[in-house]
mmCIF file of all heavy atoms in Angstrom:
data_model
loop_
_atom_site.group_PDB
_atom_site.id
_atom_site.type_symbol
_atom_site.label_atom_id
_atom_site.label_comp_id
_atom_site.label_asym_id
_atom_site.label_seq_id
_atom_site.Cartn_x
_atom_site.Cartn_y
_atom_site.Cartn_z
ATOM 1 N N ALA A 1 5.048 43.971 -10.740
ATOM 2 C CA ALA A 1 4.254 44.455 -11.869
ATOM 3 C C ALA A 1 5.007 44.306 -13.195
ATOM 4 O O ALA A 1 4.414 43.993 -14.230
ATOM 5 C CB ALA A 1 3.880 45.914 -11.644
ATOM 6 N N LEU A 2 6.320 44.520 -13.164
ATOM 7 C CA LEU A 2 7.113 44.470 -14.390
ATOM 8 C C LEU A 2 7.459 43.062 -14.839
ATOM 9 O O LEU A 2 7.402 42.736 -16.034
ATOM 10 C CB LEU A 2 8.416 45.264 -14.201
ATOM 11 C CG LEU A 2 8.311 46.785 -14.165
ATOM 12 C CD1 LEU A 2 9.667 47.390 -13.838
ATOM 13 C CD2 LEU A 2 7.796 47.322 -15.499
ATOM 14 N N PHE A 3 7.823 42.195 -13.871
ATOM 15 C CA PHE A 3 8.445 40.926 -14.245
ATOM 16 C C PHE A 3 7.674 39.674 -13.863
ATOM 17 O O PHE A 3 8.082 38.582 -14.259
ATOM 18 C CB PHE A 3 9.846 40.842 -13.613
ATOM 19 C CG PHE A 3 10.779 41.931 -14.086
ATOM 20 C CD1 PHE A 3 11.338 42.817 -13.178
ATOM 21 C CD2 PHE A 3 11.085 42.075 -15.431
ATOM 22 C CE1 PHE A 3 12.198 43.821 -13.607
ATOM 23 C CE2 PHE A 3 11.928 43.072 -15.870
ATOM 24 C CZ PHE A 3 12.488 43.946 -14.960
ATOM 25 N N TYR A 4 6.585 39.806 -13.080
ATOM 26 C CA TYR A 4 5.867 38.597 -12.698
ATOM 27 C C TYR A 4 4.957 38.166 -13.855
ATOM 28 O O TYR A 4 3.745 38.256 -13.799
ATOM 29 C CB TYR A 4 5.058 38.800 -11.423
ATOM 30 C CG TYR A 4 4.689 37.495 -10.744
ATOM 31 C CD1 TYR A 4 5.576 36.867 -9.877
ATOM 32 C CD2 TYR A 4 3.472 36.884 -10.989
ATOM 33 C CE1 TYR A 4 5.253 35.672 -9.262
ATOM 34 C CE2 TYR A 4 3.136 35.684 -10.380
ATOM 35 C CZ TYR A 4 4.031 35.086 -9.527
ATOM 36 O OH TYR A 4 3.703 33.889 -8.929
ATOM 37 N N ARG A 5 5.624 37.717 -14.934
ATOM 38 C CA ARG A 5 4.926 37.237 -16.129
ATOM 39 C C ARG A 5 5.543 35.915 -16.539
ATOM 40 O O ARG A 5 6.727 35.651 -16.295
ATOM 41 C CB ARG A 5 5.050 38.252 -17.271
ATOM 42 C CG ARG A 5 4.578 39.649 -16.915
ATOM 43 C CD ARG A 5 4.350 40.479 -18.180
ATOM 44 N NE ARG A 5 5.515 40.476 -19.056
ATOM 45 C CZ ARG A 5 6.500 41.363 -19.010
ATOM 46 N NH1 ARG A 5 6.469 42.325 -18.094
ATOM 47 N NH2 ARG A 5 7.512 41.312 -19.851
ATOM 48 N N TYR A 6 4.755 35.108 -17.206
ATOM 49 C CA TYR A 6 5.232 33.769 -17.542
ATOM 50 C C TYR A 6 6.447 33.797 -18.459
ATOM 51 O O TYR A 6 7.328 32.936 -18.370
ATOM 52 C CB TYR A 6 4.100 32.930 -18.144
ATOM 53 C CG TYR A 6 3.808 33.206 -19.602
ATOM 54 C CD1 TYR A 6 4.464 32.501 -20.618
ATOM 55 C CD2 TYR A 6 2.865 34.157 -19.976
ATOM 56 C CE1 TYR A 6 4.193 32.737 -21.950
ATOM 57 C CE2 TYR A 6 2.592 34.395 -21.306
ATOM 58 C CZ TYR A 6 3.253 33.686 -22.285
ATOM 59 O OH TYR A 6 2.984 33.924 -23.624
ATOM 60 N N GLU A 7 6.534 34.821 -19.343
ATOM 61 C CA GLU A 7 7.691 34.891 -20.245
ATOM 62 C C GLU A 7 8.989 35.081 -19.461
ATOM 63 O O GLU A 7 10.008 34.452 -19.761
ATOM 64 C CB GLU A 7 7.527 36.054 -21.238
ATOM 65 C CG GLU A 7 6.301 35.966 -22.130
ATOM 66 C CD GLU A 7 5.153 36.795 -21.585
ATOM 67 O OE1 GLU A 7 5.102 36.993 -20.346
ATOM 68 O OE2 GLU A 7 4.309 37.232 -22.387
ATOM 69 N N VAL A 8 8.945 35.957 -18.454
ATOM 70 C CA VAL A 8 10.139 36.226 -17.644
ATOM 71 C C VAL A 8 10.517 34.989 -16.841
ATOM 72 O O VAL A 8 11.696 34.615 -16.751
ATOM 73 C CB VAL A 8 9.892 37.424 -16.706
ATOM 74 C CG1 VAL A 8 11.097 37.639 -15.786
ATOM 75 C CG2 VAL A 8 9.613 38.685 -17.515
ATOM 76 N N VAL A 9 9.513 34.345 -16.242
ATOM 77 C CA VAL A 9 9.768 33.135 -15.461
ATOM 78 C C VAL A 9 10.405 32.058 -16.327
ATOM 79 O O VAL A 9 11.399 31.425 -15.949
ATOM 80 C CB VAL A 9 8.460 32.620 -14.823
ATOM 81 C CG1 VAL A 9 8.679 31.250 -14.182
ATOM 82 C CG2 VAL A 9 7.935 33.611 -13.793
ATOM 83 N N ALA A 10 9.844 31.844 -17.507
ATOM 84 C CA ALA A 10 10.355 30.806 -18.407
ATOM 85 C C ALA A 10 11.782 31.099 -18.845
ATOM 86 O O ALA A 10 12.651 30.207 -18.853
ATOM 87 C CB ALA A 10 9.444 30.675 -19.627
ATOM 88 N N LEU A 11 12.057 32.344 -19.225
ATOM 89 C CA LEU A 11 13.408 32.711 -19.656
ATOM 90 C C LEU A 11 14.414 32.574 -18.516
ATOM 91 O O LEU A 11 15.549 32.114 -18.721
ATOM 92 C CB LEU A 11 13.416 34.139 -20.208
ATOM 93 C CG LEU A 11 12.750 34.329 -21.569
ATOM 94 C CD1 LEU A 11 12.717 35.808 -21.948
ATOM 95 C CD2 LEU A 11 13.495 33.539 -22.646
ATOM 96 N N ALA A 12 14.011 32.964 -17.304
ATOM 97 C CA ALA A 12 14.905 32.831 -16.152
ATOM 98 C C ALA A 12 15.207 31.362 -15.868
ATOM 99 O O ALA A 12 16.351 30.995 -15.551
ATOM 100 C CB ALA A 12 14.274 33.489 -14.928
ATOM 101 N N LEU A 13 14.201 30.520 -15.988
ATOM 102 C CA LEU A 13 14.412 29.082 -15.815
ATOM 103 C C LEU A 13 15.443 28.562 -16.810
ATOM 104 O O LEU A 13 16.380 27.844 -16.443
ATOM 105 C CB LEU A 13 13.081 28.329 -15.999
ATOM 106 C CG LEU A 13 12.100 28.364 -14.830
ATOM 107 C CD1 LEU A 13 10.720 27.900 -15.287
ATOM 108 C CD2 LEU A 13 12.591 27.487 -13.683
ATOM 109 N N ILE A 14 15.279 28.934 -18.060
ATOM 110 C CA ILE A 14 16.161 28.426 -19.113
ATOM 111 C C ILE A 14 17.578 28.979 -18.963
ATOM 112 O O ILE A 14 18.563 28.233 -19.026
ATOM 113 C CB ILE A 14 15.581 28.766 -20.505
ATOM 114 C CG1 ILE A 14 14.268 27.999 -20.719
ATOM 115 C CG2 ILE A 14 16.588 28.443 -21.601
ATOM 116 C CD1 ILE A 14 13.493 28.442 -21.942
ATOM 117 N N ILE A 15 17.687 30.293 -18.761
ATOM 118 C CA ILE A 15 19.010 30.923 -18.694
ATOM 119 C C ILE A 15 19.829 30.368 -17.529
ATOM 120 O O ILE A 15 21.006 30.024 -17.685
ATOM 121 C CB ILE A 15 18.863 32.454 -18.573
ATOM 122 C CG1 ILE A 15 18.336 33.027 -19.903
ATOM 123 C CG2 ILE A 15 20.203 33.103 -18.223
ATOM 124 C CD1 ILE A 15 17.932 34.479 -19.832
ATOM 125 N N PHE A 16 19.209 30.250 -16.363
ATOM 126 C CA PHE A 16 19.967 29.724 -15.231
ATOM 127 C C PHE A 16 20.175 28.213 -15.329
ATOM 128 O O PHE A 16 21.110 27.669 -14.743
ATOM 129 C CB PHE A 16 19.298 30.105 -13.915
ATOM 130 C CG PHE A 16 19.893 31.331 -13.297
ATOM 131 C CD1 PHE A 16 19.621 32.588 -13.821
ATOM 132 C CD2 PHE A 16 20.757 31.250 -12.220
ATOM 133 C CE1 PHE A 16 20.180 33.725 -13.277
ATOM 134 C CE2 PHE A 16 21.326 32.383 -11.659
ATOM 135 C CZ PHE A 16 21.047 33.628 -12.194
ATOM 136 N N GLY A 17 19.304 27.532 -16.068
ATOM 137 C CA GLY A 17 19.555 26.116 -16.334
ATOM 138 C C GLY A 17 20.816 25.942 -17.160
ATOM 139 O O GLY A 17 21.670 25.095 -16.860
ATOM 140 N N VAL A 18 20.950 26.761 -18.187
ATOM 141 C CA VAL A 18 22.164 26.742 -19.014
ATOM 142 C C VAL A 18 23.378 27.123 -18.162
ATOM 143 O O VAL A 18 24.454 26.520 -18.290
ATOM 144 C CB VAL A 18 22.012 27.700 -20.212
ATOM 145 C CG1 VAL A 18 23.339 27.840 -20.965
ATOM 146 C CG2 VAL A 18 20.919 27.205 -21.151
ATOM 147 N N ALA A 19 23.195 28.108 -17.270
ATOM 148 C CA ALA A 19 24.304 28.552 -16.417
ATOM 149 C C ALA A 19 24.802 27.425 -15.527
ATOM 150 O O ALA A 19 26.016 27.243 -15.357
ATOM 151 C CB ALA A 19 23.861 29.745 -15.564
ATOM 152 N N PHE A 20 23.892 26.649 -14.963
ATOM 153 C CA PHE A 20 24.302 25.521 -14.138
ATOM 154 C C PHE A 20 25.178 24.543 -14.922
ATOM 155 O O PHE A 20 26.219 24.078 -14.433
ATOM 156 C CB PHE A 20 23.078 24.777 -13.594
ATOM 157 C CG PHE A 20 22.655 25.223 -12.225
ATOM 158 C CD1 PHE A 20 21.398 25.748 -12.009
ATOM 159 C CD2 PHE A 20 23.518 25.102 -11.145
ATOM 160 C CE1 PHE A 20 21.003 26.153 -10.750
ATOM 161 C CE2 PHE A 20 23.135 25.508 -9.882
ATOM 162 C CZ PHE A 20 21.873 26.036 -9.674
ATOM 163 N N ILE A 21 24.750 24.227 -16.130
ATOM 164 C CA ILE A 21 25.493 23.259 -16.945
ATOM 165 C C ILE A 21 26.865 23.805 -17.305
ATOM 166 O O ILE A 21 27.890 23.111 -17.181
ATOM 167 C CB ILE A 21 24.685 22.914 -18.215
ATOM 168 C CG1 ILE A 21 23.376 22.211 -17.815
ATOM 169 C CG2 ILE A 21 25.508 22.037 -19.158
ATOM 170 C CD1 ILE A 21 22.386 22.061 -18.955
ATOM 171 N N LEU A 22 26.916 25.064 -17.754
ATOM 172 C CA LEU A 22 28.194 25.666 -18.144
ATOM 173 C C LEU A 22 29.155 25.779 -16.956
ATOM 174 O O LEU A 22 30.351 25.484 -17.080
ATOM 175 C CB LEU A 22 27.950 27.048 -18.760
ATOM 176 C CG LEU A 22 27.213 27.073 -20.109
ATOM 177 C CD1 LEU A 22 26.994 28.511 -20.565
ATOM 178 C CD2 LEU A 22 27.976 26.286 -21.168
ATOM 179 N N ILE A 23 28.644 26.212 -15.812
ATOM 180 C CA ILE A 23 29.504 26.390 -14.639
ATOM 181 C C ILE A 23 30.017 25.053 -14.125
ATOM 182 O O ILE A 23 31.192 24.924 -13.741
ATOM 183 C CB ILE A 23 28.753 27.152 -13.541
ATOM 184 C CG1 ILE A 23 28.547 28.611 -13.970
ATOM 185 C CG2 ILE A 23 29.505 27.106 -12.210
ATOM 186 C CD1 ILE A 23 27.623 29.390 -13.082
ATOM 187 N N GLU A 24 29.171 24.027 -14.131
ATOM 188 C CA GLU A 24 29.625 22.718 -13.685
ATOM 189 C C GLU A 24 30.686 22.160 -14.640
ATOM 190 O O GLU A 24 31.661 21.540 -14.197
ATOM 191 C CB GLU A 24 28.445 21.752 -13.563
ATOM 192 C CG GLU A 24 27.557 22.002 -12.357
ATOM 193 C CD GLU A 24 28.226 21.653 -11.029
ATOM 194 O OE1 GLU A 24 29.451 21.431 -10.997
ATOM 195 O OE2 GLU A 24 27.521 21.609 -10.014
ATOM 196 N N ASN A 25 30.509 22.379 -15.944
ATOM 197 C CA ASN A 25 31.538 21.942 -16.901
ATOM 198 C C ASN A 25 32.841 22.712 -16.674
ATOM 199 O O ASN A 25 33.933 22.146 -16.752
ATOM 200 C CB ASN A 25 31.050 22.150 -18.336
ATOM 201 C CG ASN A 25 29.989 21.138 -18.734
ATOM 202 O OD1 ASN A 25 29.915 20.048 -18.162
ATOM 203 N ND2 ASN A 25 29.157 21.494 -19.703
ATOM 204 N N TRP A 26 32.727 24.002 -16.387
ATOM 205 C CA TRP A 26 33.903 24.839 -16.138
ATOM 206 C C TRP A 26 34.605 24.428 -14.841
ATOM 207 O O TRP A 26 35.825 24.456 -14.742
ATOM 208 C CB TRP A 26 33.467 26.300 -16.063
ATOM 209 C CG TRP A 26 34.573 27.267 -15.745
ATOM 210 C CD1 TRP A 26 35.578 27.674 -16.563
ATOM 211 C CD2 TRP A 26 34.781 27.954 -14.494
ATOM 212 N NE1 TRP A 26 36.398 28.575 -15.920
ATOM 213 C CE2 TRP A 26 35.930 28.770 -14.651
ATOM 214 C CE3 TRP A 26 34.105 27.971 -13.274
ATOM 215 C CZ2 TRP A 26 36.420 29.575 -13.633
ATOM 216 C CZ3 TRP A 26 34.588 28.769 -12.252
ATOM 217 C CH2 TRP A 26 35.733 29.561 -12.447
ATOM 218 N N ASN A 27 33.798 24.023 -13.839
ATOM 219 C CA ASN A 27 34.352 23.629 -12.549
ATOM 220 C C ASN A 27 34.962 22.235 -12.539
ATOM 221 O O ASN A 27 35.673 21.867 -11.593
ATOM 222 C CB ASN A 27 33.262 23.675 -11.462
ATOM 223 C CG ASN A 27 33.221 25.014 -10.759
ATOM 224 O OD1 ASN A 27 34.189 25.768 -10.791
ATOM 225 N ND2 ASN A 27 32.104 25.318 -10.124
ATOM 226 N N LYS A 28 34.675 21.451 -13.576
ATOM 227 C CA LYS A 28 35.137 20.059 -13.597
ATOM 228 C C LYS A 28 36.657 20.008 -13.502
ATOM 229 O O LYS A 28 37.373 20.619 -14.283
ATOM 230 C CB LYS A 28 34.662 19.372 -14.878
ATOM 231 C CG LYS A 28 34.828 17.865 -14.846
ATOM 232 C CD LYS A 28 34.192 17.238 -16.077
ATOM 233 C CE LYS A 28 34.304 15.714 -16.015
ATOM 234 N NZ LYS A 28 33.669 15.074 -17.204
ATOM 235 N N GLY A 29 37.150 19.275 -12.532
ATOM 236 C CA GLY A 29 38.593 19.152 -12.355
ATOM 237 C C GLY A 29 39.206 20.243 -11.512
ATOM 238 O O GLY A 29 40.392 20.168 -11.162
ATOM 239 N N ARG A 30 38.425 21.268 -11.164
ATOM 240 C CA ARG A 30 38.942 22.353 -10.328
ATOM 241 C C ARG A 30 38.669 22.046 -8.856
ATOM 242 O O ARG A 30 37.652 21.455 -8.521
ATOM 243 C CB ARG A 30 38.285 23.690 -10.686
ATOM 244 C CG ARG A 30 38.604 24.177 -12.093
ATOM 245 C CD ARG A 30 37.773 25.414 -12.414
ATOM 246 N NE ARG A 30 38.021 25.889 -13.776
ATOM 247 C CZ ARG A 30 38.871 26.842 -14.082
ATOM 248 N NH1 ARG A 30 39.555 27.439 -13.122
ATOM 249 N NH2 ARG A 30 39.049 27.203 -15.328
ATOM 250 N N SER A 31 39.555 22.464 -8.007
ATOM 251 C CA SER A 31 39.363 22.294 -6.565
ATOM 252 C C SER A 31 38.803 23.587 -5.982
ATOM 253 O O SER A 31 39.366 24.666 -6.218
ATOM 254 C CB SER A 31 40.693 21.964 -5.877
ATOM 255 O OG SER A 31 41.194 20.735 -6.356
ATOM 256 N N PRO A 32 37.689 23.512 -5.244
ATOM 257 C CA PRO A 32 37.138 24.738 -4.636
ATOM 258 C C PRO A 32 38.105 25.310 -3.620
ATOM 259 O O PRO A 32 38.812 24.582 -2.931
ATOM 260 C CB PRO A 32 35.844 24.242 -3.969
ATOM 261 C CG PRO A 32 36.033 22.783 -3.776
ATOM 262 C CD PRO A 32 36.891 22.326 -4.911
ATOM 263 N N ARG A 33 38.117 26.636 -3.518
ATOM 264 C CA ARG A 33 39.017 27.280 -2.556
ATOM 265 C C ARG A 33 38.342 27.524 -1.219
ATOM 266 O O ARG A 33 39.006 27.853 -0.236
ATOM 267 C CB ARG A 33 39.546 28.598 -3.140
ATOM 268 C CG ARG A 33 38.488 29.638 -3.438
ATOM 269 C CD ARG A 33 39.085 30.899 -4.037
ATOM 270 N NE ARG A 33 38.084 31.920 -4.271
ATOM 271 C CZ ARG A 33 37.655 32.775 -3.332
ATOM 272 N NH1 ARG A 33 38.166 32.726 -2.116
ATOM 273 N NH2 ARG A 33 36.732 33.675 -3.609
ATOM 274 N N ILE A 34 37.016 27.376 -1.163
ATOM 275 C CA ILE A 34 36.276 27.556 0.093
ATOM 276 C C ILE A 34 35.531 26.254 0.391
ATOM 277 O O ILE A 34 34.604 25.880 -0.321
ATOM 278 C CB ILE A 34 35.286 28.732 -0.015
ATOM 279 C CG1 ILE A 34 36.048 30.033 -0.269
ATOM 280 C CG2 ILE A 34 34.440 28.838 1.251
ATOM 281 C CD1 ILE A 34 35.163 31.232 -0.524
ATOM 282 N N ASN A 35 35.961 25.556 1.438
ATOM 283 C CA ASN A 35 35.420 24.233 1.733
ATOM 284 C C ASN A 35 34.713 24.142 3.085
ATOM 285 O O ASN A 35 34.235 23.076 3.451
ATOM 286 C CB ASN A 35 36.558 23.201 1.693
ATOM 287 C CG ASN A 35 37.124 23.042 0.291
ATOM 288 O OD1 ASN A 35 36.508 22.457 -0.587
ATOM 289 N ND2 ASN A 35 38.324 23.582 0.083
#
């Protein structure tokens, strides 16, 4: 009832899209510790 609205969906899409890009840039050159 609170969050199933197009504004929330759109913002979540954008925010986590940015998060993917930032985290991948941050991870570049780093070796994962769990393989």
Side-chain angles (χ1 to χ4, degrees):
L2 287 175
F3 298 120
Y4 199 84
R5 305 196 307 269
Y6 79 90
E7 300 97 333
V8 176
V9 172
L11 288 175
L13 282 165
I14 294 170
I15 290 170
F16 264 75
V18 172
F20 266 120
I21 296 169
L22 293 178
I23 290 170
E24 286 290 12
N25 287 336
W26 177 73
N27 268 340
K28 193 173 183 179
R30 295 173 182 264
S31 297
R33 62 181 182 84
I34 298 174
N35 294 287

